[in-house]
Amino acid sequence: MCRSIKTLREPYTPQVTDDDVRAAALQYVRKISGFRAPAAHNAAAFEAAVAAVAEATRTLLDQLVVRGGAAPGAGRAAVGAGAPGAGQAAASAGATVSGAQRER
């Protein structure tokens, strides 16, 4: 979608910072809104969207399980840790859905 958003999961980025997450969220919101910098009357909505996308990004990165890689959230201490076991639950749910889809 947007070439300036870099991949933030391991092994592409071993240490993800809050600045990395915010930069990706900002680029995403800029792309979908069509504004590089919003007008004053749109600034609050723009910043709220950046914060929401950044939070969703943190949650995603904390829950991803990379095959043959580290446990969920490993290497993401700078971004923050997710709920214990949340990554395993998401991985189990994803494996079930993937397995069901393959059987069709």
Side-chain angles (χ1 to χ4, degrees):
M1 182 183 93
C2 188
R3 293 179 213 175
S4 47
I5 297 175
K6 67 180 186 176
T7 302
L8 296 180
R9 74 165 176 84
E10 293 180 359
Y12 301 101
T13 305
Q15 182 79 16
V16 180
T17 66
D18 283 335
D19 288 340
D20 294 330
V21 171
R22 176 157 168 74
L26 181 60
Q27 287 295 85
Y28 176 79
V29 172
R30 283 176 173 167
K31 183 71 169 184
I32 62 169
S33 70
F35 297 119
R36 175 157 167 55
H41 62 277
N42 288 326
F46 191 89
E47 285 304 316
V50 171
V53 171
E55 184 59 33
T57 300
R58 286 184 194 99
T59 300
L60 173 65
L61 292 174
D62 287 343
Q63 293 180 356
L64 283 178
V65 177
V66 179
R67 285 188 183 193
R76 298 189 216 336
V79 175
Q88 289 300 328
S92 296
T96 303
V97 171
S98 296
Q101 289 175 344
R102 274 186 250 139
E103 291 175 13
R104 291 183 191 165

